Amino acid sequence: MLKGSAKEFVAKYVPQGENGLEKSGITKDLTKALAELGFLNMCLPAEAGGAALDEEPYLAVLGEFSKYEPSIAMEILLVNSVAASILSKFEDGLQALAKTGAGELGFIVSPPSPYARNSFHSDHVSLDAELSVVLGNGTDYMIVSDLDGRTLYVKDEIRFKRFPRPLGFRALQWGKAEAKKSQYESVGKGMLEEAFSSGMSRAVSSIALGIAETAIDKTIEYTKVRKVFNTPLKDFGPVAGAISRMKVEAELLRSGLAAQSVDAEILRHKALDLALDASRTAVQYHGGYGYFEAFGIEKLYRDSMVMKMMFGGVDQDLLLYRKTFRSDSGII
Amino acid sequence: MDFKFSKEHEEFREKARNFGKKEFTNDRKVHFDSEEKYPEELRKLAYESGLVTYSDPWKVLIAIEELCAIDPGLGIASTIPYFGAEVLLLFGSDLLKEKYLGRINEGKAIMGLAVTEPSGGSDVAGCRTKAERKGNKYVVNGSKMFISNGNIADFLITLVRTSDADPKRHHGLSVLVIDTSSPGFKATKLTGKLGVRATTTSEIVFENVEVPEENLVGEVGKGFYYIMTFFNISRVFVAAQGVGVAQGAFNRALEIAKSRGEKFSGREDVQFILAEMATKIKAARTLTLEAASYLFNFEPNPTVTSMAKQLAGETAVYVAEKALELAGIEAVNSDLERIFRDAKILEIWEGTSEIEKLVISRNLLKGEAF
Ligand SMILES: Cc1cc2nc3c(=O)[nH]c(=O)nc-3n(C[C@H](O)[C@H](O)[C@H](O)COP(=O)(O)OP(=O)(O)OC[C@H]3O[C@@H](n4cnc5c(N)ncnc54)[C@H](O)[C@@H]3O)c2cc1C
């Protein structure tokens, strides 16, 4: 059960006005605090000590956190959607999952990409691998898919080299990883791909939508008070029009997210686009101020771009086409 | 009509490209971006290599485009130290030209242009920084915001209000050259920029700064006109920044597409995105060159100039975003992510995209051809 709200958590743990947690990062203590309030195990199965909550409160929590600190929303997503869907399938995994949900273990995951510059060698017992991009909240274990698309749970001997300034979600740990003579378990084929694609479309939509809503709301507030040519910015037609159209889109998506009837791929597609449009527009209407960290706007643009890179490229579009035509489409 | 550059210019392009490839090393790109430091040694090197020259504006344009394609932050930082020089060239007295531009021409001084204020940048006529005439000097009070080179410049071309009397706000504005060593001048470096972090940006405060009367540029009350004239020049060069940034992002996207083989580059989804990127870049470059051609032949066309600036800025942002989308999460810590962060400034400085649209439409409504 959740023992607090995202808003309370952020008020207590996230510094205001310094781009949130970007400088300090999500520390072990912070992860622990998130776990204690129930955010890290909300969707984990009961066998892993989880609360096995429905999707509805989960999406609400993700949306709420992404309004204040998208990196925390992403951490919650990685645990509840990625780790949960993969580790809950086997005994060892369940134990690791329980400890992850309790904030005792942290992990990194390599977002699946057919174009990643990864390498793998295994002798069926141990693994030598190099991963060009991983992200997560610790390096106790790693989830990765190998060149044949098998999802691997890598248990030890993980070396991690952190990127000092990745594009977005900077409070999370991003870097390169190496597994040298690591013990691993092969979980199944395509599981990580599934988790990252259709498996969490609604959750991804909720985060993207939260970012979009923040960008829109901050821009509405700013354009009410910022005067140009002695006139509030909101009084200029193109400004009011652009913001209003995005607001409408956000509201439609919000109700679509609540209604189970709206297809998850459509939601994801639209929410990712809206987050990028809304955050880019927010930077623009904040003028020079939008270009500086202190206003907390440019970060939304960076985070939205990362969302799009991770969950919304040409390969992910194929999922949408498949839904539309009920068969593989747009593959040429 | 000839769409080709001369042999001399093509050779110069090659020279600029080689300079960028050699000097803008990966270490430097990352270092000056992450540390938010101005690359003074690169500025000097670019100057000594003859890349920034007043003898031929086409060469400046070419250098900007080429260097920005290799790294926007370093490219702009190495070509921005003379920002505002045209105001002096066109409207400054011989005395001012000698006193200030001489050092600039020798690469020994850095300058900047201070127009934007905390209360607004788009509304240039809203300038509040006051310059009061007292005897044979002006006393300046007020503040400026987001001033490039503000904390490293030797002097700033500064827009000030010299009169409130005229109800037409823009009539009361003048331009002063203000030495940054003057008592009462304070520049605070602003940190935490999204991109172009190798350039330096400051907030400036003037507290009873005394400026000799001979530092008035041109005539009193003509400041707005001088600055607008300057923007019609500088926007051509900023458009070239945009074209360069877009080209740089495109080059990387194309490389990525090729390196992934037929499975990726053979898909029409990917091919159409590449085609759209390239077409937009070509359109922005052609428009920029047209605006430059008018300008360098002393027939500036503000409508075409604003179109070029707007299109080039939008193209830089569009191409950078699409390039990252194609590259996917592998690019989260790459050259491309930096280019993406740099690109957005091109829709903001030297007249935001919205202001360019206003300039364009107002000119069109006045009956100007394009
Ligand atoms: C890194 C950096 C370097 C800079 N360097 C310099 C420099 O060297 N010298 C200098 O003088 N300035 C400089 N600037 C300032 C820059 O030129 C201004 O930020 C820009 O002109 C916009 O002004 P503003 O930020 O005050 O935004 P505002 O003028 O407040 O505008 C806010 C938003 O409203 C929009 N808007 C304004 N009017 C309208 C309208 N009528 N209709 C629709 N939309 C409208 C704008 O397009 C913008 O999106 C720099 C800025 C940055 C970020």
Side-chain angles (χ1 to χ4, degrees), chain A residues 222 226-229 233 236 238-239 283-289 291-292, chain B residues 80 83 112-123 145-149 193 195-196 199-201 231 345 347-355 358 362:
Chain A
Y222 187 73
R226 179 67 168 179
K227 284 190 173 171
V228 288
F229 305 100
L233 206 40
F236 295 100
V239 177
V283 173
Q284 186 65 19
Y285 286 151
H286 281 76
Y289 295 101
Y291 206 69
F292 282 83
Chain B
I80 206 178
F83 185 51
L113 180 95
V115 174
T116 306
E117 302 196 342
S119 57
S122 302
D123 181 9
M145 196 63 174
F146 309 131
I147 305 307
S148 299
N149 299 341
K193 284 203 292 275
V196 288
T199 69
T200 166
T201 317
F231 281 156
I345 195 62
E347 292 189 308
I348 298 174
W349 66 14
E350 291 300 284
T352 62
S353 294
E354 289 76 15
I355 294 304
L358 283 178
R362 281 177 190 165

Side-chain angles (χ1 to χ4, degrees), chain B residues 24-219:
Chain B
F24 295 0
T25 58
N26 210 36
D27 282 354
R28 280 180 168 156
K29 290 178 194 170
V30 172
H31 171 76
F32 291 107
D33 174 68
S34 60
E35 301 298 315
E36 280 198 288
K37 241 182 109 189
Y38 182 76
E40 173 61 11
E41 65 274 27
L42 282 179
R43 173 191 80 83
K44 285 191 181 141
L45 272 177
Y47 175 80
E48 282 157 13
S49 311
L51 286 186
V52 187
T53 158
Y54 281 112
S55 62
D56 183 349
W58 285 109
K59 288 187 176 169
V60 180
L61 197 87
I62 291 167
I64 289 174
E65 190 191 325
E66 287 301 325
L67 296 182
C68 284
I70 296 169
D71 187 77
L74 295 178
I76 294 171
S78 343
T79 50
I80 206 178
Y82 323 100
F83 185 51
E86 290 86 350
V87 179
L88 278 182
L89 268 174
L90 289 176
F91 306 110
S93 63
D94 289 345
L95 184 89
L96 283 180
K97 282 183 199 158
E98 199 189 312
K99 188 172 164 195
Y100 291 103
L101 285 187
R103 284 191 291 149
I104 289 286
N105 282 336
E106 289 164 15
K108 289 185 182 147
I110 296 178
M111 63 185 294
L113 180 95
V115 174
T116 306
E117 302 196 342
S119 57
S122 302
D123 181 9
V124 173
C127 170
R128 295 176 187 179
T129 297
K130 274 217 156 128
E132 266 181 279
R133 181 78 194 239
K134 286 198 178 151
N136 60 355
K137 51 178 96 101
Y138 287 93
V139 177
V140 181
N141 280 290
S143 56
K144 297 284 176 184
M145 196 63 174
F146 309 131
I147 305 307
S148 299
N149 299 341
N151 63 326
I152 54 169
D154 297 85
F155 60 93
L156 293 178
I157 307 288
T158 310
L159 185 69
V160 292
R161 179 161 297 285
T162 40
S163 161
D164 279 323
D166 200 313
K168 285 194 171 155
R169 297 178 308 156
H170 63 280
H171 283 179
L173 301 177
S174 306
V175 170
L176 294 174
V177 185
I178 302 185
D179 284 303
T180 55
S181 57
S182 311
F185 177 96
K186 192 172 163 215
T188 307
K189 183 176 171 181
L190 300 168
T191 56
K193 284 203 292 275
L194 169 63
V196 288
R197 290 161 62 93
T199 69
T200 166
T201 317
S202 296
E203 180 174 10
I204 310 284
V205 175
F206 305 98
E207 228 180 271
N208 294 319
V209 174
E210 295 188 355
V211 181
E213 65 180 347
E214 61 267 24
N215 277 24
L216 175 76
V217 176
E219 291 173 42

